Amino acid sequence: MNSPLRVAVTGAAGNIGYALLFRLAAGDCYGMEQPIILHMVEIPPAMKALEGVAMELSDAAFPLLHGIEMADNPNDGFKGVNQAFLVGAMPRGAGMERADLIQANGPIFVAQGKALESAAAADVHAVVVGNPCNTNALICSSNARGLPAGRITAMTRLDQNRAVSQLANKAGVLASDIGRMAVYGNHSPTMFPDFLHATIKGQPVADTLDQAWLEGDFMTTVAKRGSAIIKARGASSAASAASAAIDHMKSVWHGTADGEWVSMAVPSRGEYSVPAGLIYSYPVTISNRAYQIVEGIEHGQYAQKKIAASADELVRERDLVADLLA
Ligand code: NAD
Ligand code: LMR
């Protein structure tokens, strides 16, 4: 058995937190040889509910759960943490876009960036789930400049998983038959799920599926899936979001398989003409807990336009939060 890993989850009394904590404690992210100590971080009004979540975690008697700590602020909550799931933030309601949450949620990530820098372990990796997650990750990393670049990423794995599932359902194959389904850009309707380089059983998707469907229903369904879930459930996605957060950190922790790409929003250094500094989703490969953006993929005009449009949107979001950037 390894020594325990300290794993922070903010918004631990919320909906995603409730789905995420139990999977982390069960070993779904770090494996069955890796015990964890959970740092559950909330705001003061949610501490009572958080105590209930802690009771339930304890009642599940998870062998890998070697401790539970609770905090009502990030400075205490992030002490010594190696991994951080930054979930705590307001979700959108029906009729809103995720960007409408910027003013309410942006300031949360100023304090959390500072706390990660000052209190977390030197090897900390964080994933931002709270929306709008790309720009919140930008705020967070801008306030944690003492951390190595790229330690704070944002989650677009849910979009990748949604795209994989749509392709698999349409082609009548398993999700595991879909490869290289990369999502570019912002976790918003401007995202670009690049079906042009995705594969079904190793062959281009376009060999099996109709181009009009791919450019039409497929793109729209993936881009607007979050709204469709809010409309149907009356609340935003929770279990699938928690599952994608686990997929994201599992890739960081264990690395990607040979030939595998995963989608992750990371600081751009200008790849694919995206302005440097934006937190932009790219296909990446990971080894030794460090990602590499997959470069050299050839994109035609259709894809280039989409990649640029999502970058333009992120520039506009960055302008809106200029006062929160250090
Ligand atoms: P929720 O309202 O059920 O829970 C949010 C929790 O965060 C609450 O318990 C709240 O008390 C807590 N919180 C608020 N401010 C906090 C702070 N400063 N520190 C710590 N905790 C804080 O919401 P949810 O359904 O769990 O969703 C959380 C966020 O995740 C939302 O912003 C939602 O839009 C986003 N989300 C992102 C994705 C993605 O793919 N990136 C997917 C689903 C949801
Ligand atoms: C999602 O994609 O399900 C989340 O980002 C929640 C939302 O607001 O759409």
Side-chain angles (χ1 to χ4, degrees):
M1 236 346 133
N2 300 319
S3 57
L5 201 61
R6 292 186 175 272
V7 181
V9 175
T10 70
N15 282 305
I16 296 175
Y18 196 66
L20 178 60
L21 291 162
F22 290 81
R23 292 209 37 207
L24 289 170
D28 287 359
C29 192
Y30 305 107
M32 301 313 285
E33 296 297 315
Q34 182 57 65
I36 62 169
I37 296 172
L38 281 172
H39 288 226
M40 306 201 295
V41 187
E42 261 293 348
I43 48 173
M47 292 309 280
K48 181 104 186 106
L50 192 62
E51 278 171 29
V53 177
M55 285 185 224
E56 283 203 76
L57 279 165
S58 171
D59 292 350
F62 288 113
L64 290 170
L65 186 57
H66 284 206
I68 297 175
E69 303 196 358
M70 286 184 271
D72 66 4
N73 68 84
N75 289 317
D76 293 333
F78 292 167
K79 251 182 216 150
V81 302
N82 312 101
Q83 300 267 296
F85 292 79
L86 307 184
V87 178
M90 192 194 283
R92 67 174 162 153
M96 291 171 77
E97 284 302 336
R98 297 178 189 104
D100 297 336
L101 297 167
I102 279 188
Q103 302 304 344
N105 288 342
I108 294 172
F109 294 88
V110 173
Q112 292 189 357
K114 290 182 175 154
L116 278 177
E117 183 178 11
S118 64
D123 68 349
V124 69
H125 284 86
V127 58
V128 177
V129 176
N131 276 322
C133 63
N134 299 55
T135 296
N136 287 338
L138 177 70
I139 296 168
C140 194
S141 43
S142 157
N143 285 279
R145 289 198 191 275
L147 296 182
R151 289 291 188 83
I152 298 170
T153 53
M155 183 171 99
T156 50
R157 189 63 167 266
L158 180 55
D159 306 306
Q160 174 183 319
N161 289 347
R162 287 168 172 167
V164 163
S165 159
Q166 289 301 314
L167 294 177
N169 289 344
K170 187 76 174 174
V173 300
L174 299 175
S176 54
D177 291 324
I178 308 296
R180 299 196 160 180
M181 185 52 255
V183 172
Y184 289 73
N186 197 5
H187 176 58
S188 83
T190 68
M191 75 180 80
F192 173 47
D194 180 15
F195 57 83
L196 291 153
H197 294 89
T199 57
I200 300 176
K201 298 187 176 177
Q203 300 307 310
V205 160
D207 287 1
T208 310
L209 297 177
D210 174 49
Q211 191 78 10
W213 177 81
L214 289 164
E215 289 185 20
D217 283 358
F218 166 74
M219 292 281 287
T220 314
T221 303
V222 175
K224 301 203 168 157
R225 191 65 159 187
S227 305
I229 288 169
I230 291 169
K231 209 166 159 198
R233 234 172 70 82
S236 70
S237 64
S240 59
S243 196
I246 288 194
D247 290 342
H248 179 117
M249 281 306 222
K250 197 171 172 180
S251 295
V252 171
W253 190 251
H254 297 286
T256 47
D258 271 356
E260 183 194 14
W261 299 348
V262 294
S263 311
M264 202 173 268
V266 301
S268 167
R269 287 175 309 175
E271 295 86 350
Y272 300 102
S273 303
V274 170
L278 295 178
I279 304 287
Y280 192 91
S281 180
Y282 289 109
V284 303
T285 58
I286 304 171
S287 70
N288 299 321
R289 295 184 193 137
Y291 64 78
Q292 291 281 337
I293 295 172
V294 180
E295 294 196 69
I297 300 170
E298 295 208 355
H299 293 294
Q301 261 191 356
Y302 170 81
Q304 282 175 28
K305 262 192 171 166
K306 296 211 170 286
I307 288 170
S310 206
D312 289 347
E313 180 182 51
L314 282 167
V315 169
R316 290 194 294 277
E317 287 187 17
R318 181 177 64 186
D319 290 346
L320 285 175
V321 298
D323 57 327
L324 302 179
L325 302 178

